[in-house]
Amino acid sequence: MPEHGATAVLLPAPGADALLRKVAAEHPAAARAGVPAHITVLYPFLPLSEVDDSVLAELRALFAGQPAPRVEFALPEPDHGFVALRPEPLEPLRELTDAVRSRWPHLVPYGGSHGDDVDPHLTVAMDVSTSDARSIAAGIAGHLPPPAVLEQAWVTGYDGEWSVRARLPLAGRPHRGTGS
């Protein structure tokens, strides 16, 4: 459960929402209510009380010059009750995180709980048993979302539930991924 006032910068991946609904229907404890399918750019971001018009303007300018990544999704092995999709290629997504972190270098992905750098991923299930994680991974292997161009970044805030606070277009020329 996030802290009240937490924020995140995300890349929504709406083509994967159906997959998350499928997993939630079969494994309700694995889902995070109110959070659409996404790849995290940076969580936690600044406290919600600090995300003002000037911060949003800086983010808007940062993302306006960034190419929209085109990704395909692969399923890595489940890991300790966690199931995620790996977006490929990873480098354009790492570049987005690096761009945000270069402006706010004191912010570390996941508060440093997984080290200083975390590979970009789309969480499908978390906090499930190892056997449930294996079952979920096996059940979705043939149902991966289609390739996607990630055209927006969202700033989300938590105040009892997650909500979108700003939608920031990635206005640069699309970044071509695998298979193009």
Side-chain angles (χ1 to χ4, degrees):
M1 177 77 62
E3 289 185 28
H4 186 81
T7 63
V9 180
L10 315 173
L11 299 171
D17 281 331
L19 178 66
L20 269 70
R21 285 191 299 273
K22 173 185 176 357
V23 170
E26 297 170 8
H27 301 272
R32 292 169 297 161
V35 181
H38 67 275
I39 298 165
T40 301
V41 174
L42 188 58
Y43 169 82
F45 186 54
L46 298 172
L48 189 55
S49 61
E50 295 178 26
V51 179
D52 58 15
D53 289 342
S54 66
V55 168
L56 293 176
E58 286 187 69
L59 285 170
R60 188 170 282 107
L62 185 150
F63 285 114
Q66 299 294 322
R70 181 189 184 282
V71 297
E72 294 183 13
F73 295 99
L75 182 65
E77 290 296 313
D79 184 28
H80 304 299
F82 180 77
V83 181
L85 301 181
R86 179 183 171 105
E88 297 175 348
L90 289 174
E91 196 54 37
L93 302 169
R94 286 185 181 128
E95 290 170 4
L96 290 172
T97 297
D98 290 347
V100 174
R101 288 194 65 205
S102 70
R103 169 53 188 91
W104 293 276
H106 64 285
L107 299 176
V108 179
Y110 303 99
S113 63
H114 303 288
D116 192 44
D117 290 313
V118 178
D119 277 341
H121 59 276
L122 190 150
T123 301
V124 175
M126 57 191 287
D127 299 326
V128 296
S129 69
T130 301
S131 63
D132 280 349
R134 284 191 204 113
S135 173
I136 291 167
I140 66 172
H143 304 282
L144 298 180
V149 176
L150 308 174
E151 298 175 330
Q152 287 187 358
W154 288 358
V155 177
T156 60
Y158 186 80
D159 57 6
E161 62 183 37
W162 286 103
S163 62
V164 177
R165 303 304 173 111
R167 298 169 194 267
L168 311 168
L170 281 83
R173 180 175 54 82
H175 204 311
R176 295 291 176 207
T178 59
S180 48

